[in-house]
Amino acid sequence: MDRRVFISGITLGLLTAPLAAEGQQVGKIPRLCFLELSPGLSRSVYSPFFQGLRDLGYVDGQTITIDYLSADGQAERFPALAADCVRLKADIVVASTTLAAQAAKKATRTIPIVMNALGDPVAAGLVASLARPEGNVTGVSMMSPGLAAKRLELLKEALPRLSRVLVLSDLGDSIAAPQLQELEHATHSLGVTLLVRDIRSADDLPAAFDAGAKKHAEGLLTTAETRLSVYRNRALELAARHRLPGMYPYRAWVDAGGLMAFISYTPNLQARTAYYVDKILKGAKPGDLPVEQPTKFELVINLKTAKALGLAIPPSLLQRADQVIE
């Protein structure tokens, strides 16, 4: 099999741990299949989820078996990986991207699937509603109404003269369209024009930034698809080269040199994902567990980047920031 499969690739606990989760048959260790877009993300981006599992007493190799299946950055591999989860007779599947969850749902209607802080599950066709998911999919969403528009609003507040914004979006991901629609609605009151570019690979980025330069883009915004995070370093490099101040949906972008991020509190959301795994392994039905949405948001501003770009961030915005990197 040419797909990269990480089986029990991360140690989730110490040598001592609580007894196996309640509700499991004596002697039977549940099997969890974790689907990720790129190898290694489970060690960094998704570590709060695995910490949450450990806090609940799930230790890889002792009270649970975890199979780490990576698409190696190629989302089209998710259907084959989802089939592997079925072949491995997983008791539960955790999907770290919307495309992975969609592939898993197509592969099985019986194995429970838990979303690990994904996009809009209703728009993606994963659940019937947030309150009553029905079917075999539930979990946590990182999106809430107005979040994309709020990012554009904050970028405009940081750059009062902003009139043209380059938007990087993976249009192949079903969560892109609702975000773009929300952004488009916000442009009328903010007086900005969006220059949307479809990003399916890192090779699409240079042309996107060149197009933005030709249209005299003054700012940058990325939507929240996982694939874009895989290309984060290249995107930030080009943003710096073109001197485009950017607003991003993840804290890691600002830590790596981006200007601003307005984020749902992802570590807390991922810890809640572990709670769903625990409830289901103890007998709860996915369709009966409402999907959770974020209730806490954080604004992070990188002043070092602002200074490098020659920007003066309005004091009123700095005062509202949850963290300022200096």
Side-chain angles (χ1 to χ4, degrees), residues 103-175:
K105 184 175 180 179
K106 288 181 180 179
T108 176
R109 294 303 175 101
T110 56
I111 299 174
I113 300 166
V114 176
M115 304 177 295
N116 186 24
L118 304 190
D120 185 339
V122 177
L126 292 169
V127 300
S129 70
L130 298 179
R132 293 283 300 181
E134 301 179 3
N136 63 324
V137 182
T138 189
V140 179
S141 169
M142 68 173 183
M143 296 176 66
S144 65
L147 191 54
K150 184 64 176 179
R151 292 189 178 110
L152 183 59
E153 177 185 320
L154 289 168
L155 184 61
K156 174 72 172 181
E157 189 171 345
L159 308 166
R161 296 182 179 180
L162 181 70
S163 62
R164 291 174 294 276
V165 180
L166 174 63
V167 179
L168 305 181
S169 188
D170 175 10
L171 301 184
D173 193 319
S174 60
I175 72 169

Coordinates of all heavy atoms in Angstrom, one line a residue, residues 103-175:
A103 N -15.4 11.7 3.1 CA -15.0 10.4 2.6 C -15.3 9.3 3.6 O -15.8 8.2 3.2 CB -13.4 10.5 2.4
A104 N -15.2 9.6 4.9 CA -15.5 8.6 5.9 C -17.0 8.3 5.9 O -17.4 7.1 6.0 CB -15.1 9.0 7.3
K105 N -17.8 9.3 5.7 CA -19.3 9.1 5.7 C -19.7 8.3 4.5 O -20.6 7.5 4.6 CB -20.0 10.5 5.7 CG -21.5 10.3 5.8 CD -22.2 11.7 6.0 CE -23.7 11.5 6.0 NZ -24.4 12.8 6.2
K106 N -19.0 8.5 3.4 CA -19.3 7.7 2.2 C -18.9 6.2 2.3 O -19.5 5.3 1.8 CB -18.7 8.3 1.0 CG -19.3 9.6 0.5 CD -18.6 10.2 -0.7 CE -19.2 11.5 -1.2 NZ -18.5 12.0 -2.4
A107 N -17.8 6.0 3.1 CA -17.3 4.7 3.3 C -18.1 3.9 4.3 O -18.1 2.6 4.1 CB -15.8 4.8 3.8
T108 N -18.7 4.5 5.2 CA -19.5 3.7 6.2 C -20.6 4.6 6.8 O -20.5 5.8 7.0 CB -18.6 3.3 7.4 OG1 -19.4 2.6 8.4 CG2 -17.8 4.5 8.0
R109 N -21.8 3.9 7.0 CA -22.9 4.6 7.7 C -23.1 4.0 9.0 O -24.1 4.3 9.7 CB -24.2 4.4 6.8 CG -24.1 5.2 5.5 CD -23.8 6.7 5.7 NE -23.7 7.4 4.4 CZ -24.6 8.1 3.8 NH1 -25.8 8.2 4.4 NH2 -24.3 8.7 2.7
T110 N -22.2 3.1 9.5 CA -22.4 2.4 10.8 C -21.3 2.8 11.8 O -21.6 2.9 13.0 CB -22.4 0.9 10.6 OG1 -21.2 0.5 9.9 CG2 -23.6 0.5 9.8
I111 N -20.0 2.9 11.3 CA -19.0 3.3 12.2 C -19.1 4.8 12.6 O -19.3 5.6 11.8 CB -17.6 3.1 11.6 CG1 -17.4 1.6 11.2 CG2 -16.5 3.6 12.5 CD1 -16.1 1.4 10.5
P112 N -19.1 5.1 13.9 CA -19.3 6.5 14.3 C -18.1 7.4 13.8 O -16.9 6.9 13.9 CB -19.2 6.4 15.9 CG -19.7 5.0 16.2 CD -19.1 4.2 15.1
I113 N -18.4 8.6 13.4 CA -17.4 9.5 12.9 C -17.5 10.8 13.7 O -18.6 11.4 13.9 CB -17.6 9.8 11.4 CG1 -17.6 8.5 10.6 CG2 -16.6 10.9 10.9 CD1 -18.1 8.7 9.2
V114 N -16.4 11.2 14.3 CA -16.3 12.4 15.1 C -15.5 13.5 14.4 O -14.4 13.2 13.9 CB -15.7 12.1 16.5 CG1 -15.6 13.4 17.3 CG2 -16.6 11.1 17.2
M115 N -16.1 14.7 14.2 CA -15.4 15.8 13.5 C -14.5 16.5 14.6 O -15.0 16.9 15.6 CB -16.4 16.8 13.0 CG -17.4 16.1 12.0 SD -18.6 17.3 11.5 CE -19.5 17.7 13.0
N116 N -13.2 16.7 14.2 CA -12.3 17.4 15.1 C -12.2 18.8 14.7 O -11.3 19.2 13.9 CB -10.9 16.7 15.1 CG -10.0 17.2 16.1 OD1 -10.4 17.8 17.1 ND2 -8.7 17.1 15.8
A117 N -13.1 19.7 15.2 CA -13.0 21.1 14.9 C -13.0 21.4 13.4 O -12.1 22.1 12.9 CB -11.8 21.8 15.6
L118 N -14.0 21.0 12.7 CA -14.1 21.2 11.3 C -14.9 22.5 10.9 O -15.2 23.3 11.8 CB -14.8 20.0 10.6 CG -14.1 18.6 10.9 CD1 -14.7 17.6 10.0 CD2 -12.6 18.7 10.7
G119 N -15.2 22.6 9.6 CA -16.0 23.8 9.2 C -17.4 23.6 9.4 O -17.9 23.2 10.4
D120 N -18.2 24.0 8.4 CA -19.7 24.0 8.6 C -20.2 22.6 8.2 O -20.3 22.3 7.0 CB -20.3 25.1 7.6 CG -21.8 25.2 7.8 OD1 -22.4 24.2 8.3 OD2 -22.3 26.2 7.3
P121 N -20.6 21.8 9.2 CA -21.0 20.4 8.9 C -22.3 20.3 8.2 O -22.6 19.3 7.5 CB -21.0 19.7 10.2 CG -21.3 20.9 11.2 CD -20.6 22.1 10.6
V122 N -23.2 21.3 8.4 CA -24.5 21.2 7.7 C -24.3 21.5 6.2 O -24.8 20.8 5.3 CB -25.5 22.2 8.3 CG1 -26.8 22.2 7.5 CG2 -25.7 21.9 9.8
A123 N -23.6 22.6 5.9 CA -23.3 22.9 4.5 C -22.5 21.8 3.8 O -22.7 21.6 2.6 CB -22.5 24.3 4.4
A124 N -21.7 21.1 4.5 CA -20.9 20.1 3.9 C -21.6 18.7 3.8 O -21.1 17.8 3.2 CB -19.6 19.8 4.8
G125 N -22.9 18.7 4.2 CA -23.7 17.5 4.1 C -23.3 16.4 5.1 O -23.7 15.2 4.9
L126 N -22.7 16.8 6.2 CA -22.2 15.8 7.1 C -23.3 15.5 8.2 O -23.4 14.3 8.7 CB -20.9 16.2 7.8 CG -19.7 16.3 6.9 CD1 -18.6 17.0 7.7 CD2 -19.3 14.9 6.5
V127 N -24.1 16.5 8.6 CA -25.1 16.3 9.6 C -26.4 16.9 9.1 O -26.4 17.9 8.3 CB -24.7 16.8 10.9 CG1 -23.5 16.2 11.5 CG2 -24.5 18.3 10.9
A128 N -27.5 16.5 9.6 CA -28.8 17.0 9.2 C -29.0 18.4 9.8 O -29.5 19.3 9.2 CB -29.9 16.1 9.7
S129 N -28.6 18.6 11.1 CA -28.6 19.9 11.8 C -27.6 19.8 12.9 O -27.2 18.7 13.3 CB -30.0 20.1 12.3 OG -30.4 19.3 13.4
L130 N -27.3 21.0 13.5 CA -26.4 21.0 14.6 C -27.0 20.4 15.8 O -26.3 19.7 16.6 CB -26.0 22.5 14.9 CG -25.2 23.2 13.7 CD1 -24.9 24.6 14.2 CD2 -23.9 22.4 13.4
A131 N -28.3 20.6 16.0 CA -29.0 20.2 17.2 C -29.2 18.7 17.2 O -29.1 18.0 18.2 CB -30.3 20.9 17.5
R132 N -29.6 18.1 16.0 CA -29.9 16.7 15.8 C -29.1 16.2 14.6 O -29.6 16.2 13.5 CB -31.4 16.5 15.6 CG -32.2 16.8 16.8 CD -32.2 15.7 17.9 NE -32.6 14.4 17.4 CZ -32.7 13.3 18.1 NH1 -32.3 13.4 19.4 NH2 -33.1 12.2 17.6
P133 N -27.9 15.8 14.8 CA -27.0 15.4 13.6 C -27.6 14.2 12.8 O -27.4 14.2 11.6 CB -25.7 15.0 14.3 CG -25.7 15.7 15.6 CD -27.1 15.8 16.0
E134 N -28.3 13.3 13.6 CA -28.8 12.1 13.0 C -27.6 11.3 12.4 O -26.5 11.7 12.6 CB -29.9 12.4 11.9 CG -31.1 13.1 12.4 CD -32.1 13.4 11.3 OE1 -32.0 13.0 10.2 OE2 -33.1 14.1 11.7
G135 N -27.8 10.2 11.7 CA -26.7 9.5 11.1 C -25.6 9.1 12.1 O -25.8 9.0 13.3
N136 N -24.4 9.0 11.5 CA -23.3 8.5 12.3 C -22.2 9.5 12.4 O -21.0 9.1 12.8 CB -22.7 7.2 11.6 CG -22.1 7.4 10.2 OD1 -22.7 8.2 9.5 ND2 -21.0 6.8 9.9
V137 N -22.5 10.8 12.2 CA -21.5 11.8 12.3 C -21.9 12.9 13.3 O -23.0 13.3 13.4 CB -21.3 12.5 10.9 CG1 -20.2 13.6 11.1 CG2 -20.9 11.5 9.9
T138 N -20.9 13.3 14.2 CA -21.1 14.4 15.1 C -19.8 14.9 15.5 O -18.8 14.6 14.9 CB -21.9 14.0 16.4 OG1 -22.3 15.1 17.1 CG2 -21.1 13.0 17.2
G139 N -19.7 15.8 16.4 CA -18.4 16.4 16.9 C -18.4 17.9 17.0 O -19.4 18.4 17.5
V140 N -17.3 18.5 16.7 CA -17.1 19.9 17.0 C -16.8 20.7 15.7 O -16.1 20.2 14.8 CB -15.9 20.1 17.9 CG1 -15.7 21.6 18.2 CG2 -16.2 19.3 19.2
S141 N -17.5 21.9 15.6 CA -17.2 22.8 14.4 C -16.4 24.0 14.9 O -16.7 24.5 16.0 CB -18.5 23.2 13.8 OG -18.3 24.3 12.9
M142 N -15.5 24.4 14.1 CA -14.7 25.6 14.5 C -15.3 26.9 14.0 O -14.8 28.0 14.2 CB -13.3 25.5 14.0 CG -13.1 25.6 12.5 SD -11.4 25.6 12.0 CE -11.6 25.8 10.2
M143 N -16.4 26.8 13.2 CA -17.0 27.9 12.6 C -18.3 28.3 13.2 O -19.0 27.5 13.8 CB -17.2 27.6 11.1 CG -15.9 27.4 10.3 SD -16.2 26.9 8.6 CE -16.9 28.5 8.0
S144 N -18.6 29.6 13.2 CA -19.8 30.1 13.6 C -20.3 31.2 12.7 O -19.4 31.8 12.0 CB -19.7 30.6 15.1 OG -18.8 31.7 15.1
P145 N -21.5 31.5 12.7 CA -22.0 32.6 11.8 C -21.3 33.9 12.0 O -21.1 34.3 13.1 CB -23.5 32.7 12.1 CG -23.9 31.3 12.7 CD -22.6 30.9 13.4
G146 N -20.9 34.5 10.9 CA -20.3 35.8 11.0 C -18.8 35.8 11.2 O -18.1 36.9 11.2
L147 N -18.1 34.7 11.4 CA -16.7 34.6 11.7 C -15.9 35.1 10.5 O -14.9 35.9 10.7 CB -16.3 33.2 12.0 CG -14.9 33.0 12.7 CD1 -14.7 33.8 13.9 CD2 -14.8 31.5 13.0
A148 N -16.2 34.7 9.3 CA -15.4 35.1 8.1 C -15.5 36.6 7.9 O -14.6 37.4 7.7 CB -15.8 34.4 6.9
A149 N -16.8 37.1 8.1 CA -17.0 38.6 7.9 C -16.3 39.4 9.0 O -15.8 40.5 8.7 CB -18.5 38.8 8.0
K150 N -16.2 38.8 10.2 CA -15.5 39.5 11.3 C -14.0 39.7 11.0 O -13.4 40.7 11.3 CB -15.7 38.8 12.6 CG -15.1 39.5 13.8 CD -15.8 40.8 14.1 CE -15.2 41.4 15.3 NZ -15.8 42.7 15.6
R151 N -13.4 38.7 10.3 CA -12.0 38.7 10.0 C -11.8 39.9 9.0 O -10.8 40.6 9.1 CB -11.6 37.4 9.4 CG -11.5 36.3 10.4 CD -10.8 35.0 9.8 NE -10.8 34.0 10.9 CZ -11.5 32.9 10.9 NH1 -12.3 32.6 9.8 NH2 -11.4 32.0 11.8
L152 N -12.7 40.0 8.0 CA -12.6 41.1 7.0 C -12.8 42.4 7.7 O -12.0 43.4 7.4 CB -13.6 40.9 5.9 CG -13.5 41.9 4.7 CD1 -12.2 41.9 4.1 CD2 -14.6 41.6 3.7
E153 N -13.7 42.5 8.6 CA -14.0 43.7 9.3 C -12.7 44.2 10.1 O -12.4 45.4 10.1 CB -15.1 43.5 10.2 CG -15.5 44.7 11.1 CD -16.6 44.4 12.1 OE1 -17.6 43.7 11.7 OE2 -16.5 44.8 13.2
L154 N -12.1 43.2 10.8 CA -10.9 43.6 11.6 C -9.7 44.0 10.7 O -8.9 44.9 11.0 CB -10.5 42.3 12.4 CG -11.4 42.0 13.6 CD1 -11.1 40.7 14.2 CD2 -11.3 43.1 14.7
L155 N -9.6 43.3 9.5 CA -8.5 43.7 8.6 C -8.8 45.2 8.1 O -7.8 46.0 8.0 CB -8.5 42.8 7.4 CG -7.4 43.0 6.4 CD1 -6.0 42.8 7.0 CD2 -7.5 42.0 5.2
K156 N -10.0 45.5 7.8 CA -10.3 46.9 7.4 C -10.1 47.9 8.5 O -9.6 49.0 8.3 CB -11.8 46.9 7.0 CG -12.4 48.3 6.7 CD -11.8 48.8 5.4 CE -12.5 50.1 5.0 NZ -12.1 50.7 3.7
E157 N -10.3 47.4 9.8 CA -10.1 48.3 10.9 C -8.6 48.6 11.1 O -8.1 49.7 11.4 CB -10.6 47.7 12.2 CG -10.6 48.6 13.4 CD -11.3 48.1 14.6 OE1 -12.1 47.1 14.4 OE2 -11.1 48.6 15.7
A158 N -7.8 47.5 10.8 CA -6.3 47.7 10.9 C -5.8 48.6 9.7 O -4.8 49.3 9.9 CB -5.6 46.3 10.9
L159 N -6.4 48.5 8.6 CA -6.0 49.2 7.4 C -7.2 50.0 6.9 O -7.9 49.6 5.9 CB -5.6 48.2 6.3 CG -4.6 47.2 6.7 CD1 -4.5 46.1 5.6 CD2 -3.2 47.8 6.9
P160 N -7.5 51.2 7.5 CA -8.7 52.0 7.1 C -8.9 52.3 5.7 O -10.0 52.4 5.2 CB -8.5 53.2 8.0 CG -7.6 52.8 9.1 CD -6.7 51.8 8.5
R161 N -7.7 52.4 4.9 CA -7.8 52.8 3.5 C -8.0 51.5 2.6 O -8.0 51.7 1.4 CB -6.6 53.6 3.1 CG -6.5 54.9 3.8 CD -5.3 55.7 3.3 NE -5.2 57.0 4.0 CZ -4.3 57.9 3.8 NH1 -3.3 57.6 2.9 NH2 -4.2 59.0 4.5
L162 N -8.1 50.4 3.2 CA -8.2 49.1 2.4 C -9.4 49.1 1.5 O -10.5 49.4 1.9 CB -8.3 48.0 3.4 CG -8.4 46.6 2.8 CD1 -7.0 46.2 2.2 CD2 -8.8 45.5 3.9
S163 N -9.1 48.8 0.2 CA -10.2 48.8 -0.8 C -10.2 47.5 -1.6 O -11.2 47.1 -2.2 CB -10.1 50.0 -1.7 OG -8.9 50.0 -2.5
R164 N -9.0 46.8 -1.7 CA -8.9 45.6 -2.5 C -8.2 44.5 -1.7 O -7.1 44.7 -1.2 CB -8.2 45.8 -3.8 CG -9.0 46.7 -4.8 CD -8.1 47.0 -6.0 NE -7.0 47.9 -5.7 CZ -7.1 49.2 -5.5 NH1 -8.3 49.8 -5.7 NH2 -6.0 49.9 -5.2
V165 N -8.9 43.3 -1.6 CA -8.3 42.3 -0.7 C -8.1 41.0 -1.6 O -9.1 40.5 -2.2 CB -9.2 42.0 0.5 CG1 -8.7 40.8 1.3 CG2 -9.5 43.2 1.3
L166 N -6.9 40.5 -1.6 CA -6.7 39.2 -2.2 C -7.1 38.1 -1.2 O -6.7 38.1 -0.1 CB -5.2 39.0 -2.5 CG -4.7 37.7 -3.0 CD1 -5.4 37.4 -4.4 CD2 -3.2 37.6 -3.1
V167 N -8.0 37.2 -1.7 CA -8.5 36.1 -0.9 C -8.0 34.8 -1.4 O -8.3 34.5 -2.6 CB -10.1 36.1 -0.8 CG1 -10.6 35.0 0.0 CG2 -10.6 37.5 -0.3
L168 N -7.3 34.0 -0.6 CA -6.9 32.7 -1.0 C -7.9 31.7 -0.4 O -8.1 31.7 0.8 CB -5.5 32.4 -0.4 CG -4.4 33.4 -0.8 CD1 -3.0 33.0 -0.2 CD2 -4.3 33.6 -2.3
S169 N -8.4 30.8 -1.2 CA -9.4 29.9 -0.8 C -9.3 28.6 -1.6 O -9.0 28.6 -2.8 CB -10.8 30.5 -1.0 OG -11.8 29.7 -0.4
D170 N -9.5 27.5 -0.9 CA -9.5 26.2 -1.6 C -11.0 25.9 -2.0 O -11.7 25.4 -1.2 CB -9.0 25.1 -0.6 CG -9.1 23.7 -1.2 OD1 -9.4 23.5 -2.4 OD2 -8.8 22.7 -0.4
L171 N -11.3 26.2 -3.2 CA -12.7 26.1 -3.6 C -13.2 24.6 -3.8 O -14.3 24.4 -3.9 CB -12.9 26.8 -5.0 CG -12.6 28.3 -4.9 CD1 -12.9 29.0 -6.3 CD2 -13.3 29.0 -3.8
G172 N -12.2 23.7 -3.7 CA -12.6 22.3 -3.7 C -13.1 21.8 -2.4 O -13.6 20.6 -2.3
D173 N -13.0 22.6 -1.4 CA -13.5 22.2 -0.1 C -14.9 22.8 0.1 O -15.0 24.0 -0.1 CB -12.5 22.7 1.0 CG -12.8 22.1 2.4 OD1 -14.0 22.0 2.8 OD2 -11.8 21.7 3.1
S174 N -15.8 22.0 0.6 CA -17.2 22.5 0.7 C -17.4 23.6 1.7 O -18.4 24.4 1.7 CB -18.1 21.4 1.0 OG -17.8 20.8 2.3
I175 N -16.4 23.8 2.6 CA -16.6 24.9 3.6 C -16.1 26.3 3.0 O -16.3 27.3 3.6 CB -15.8 24.6 4.9 CG1 -14.3 24.8 4.7 CG2 -16.2 23.3 5.4 CD1 -13.5 24.7 6.0

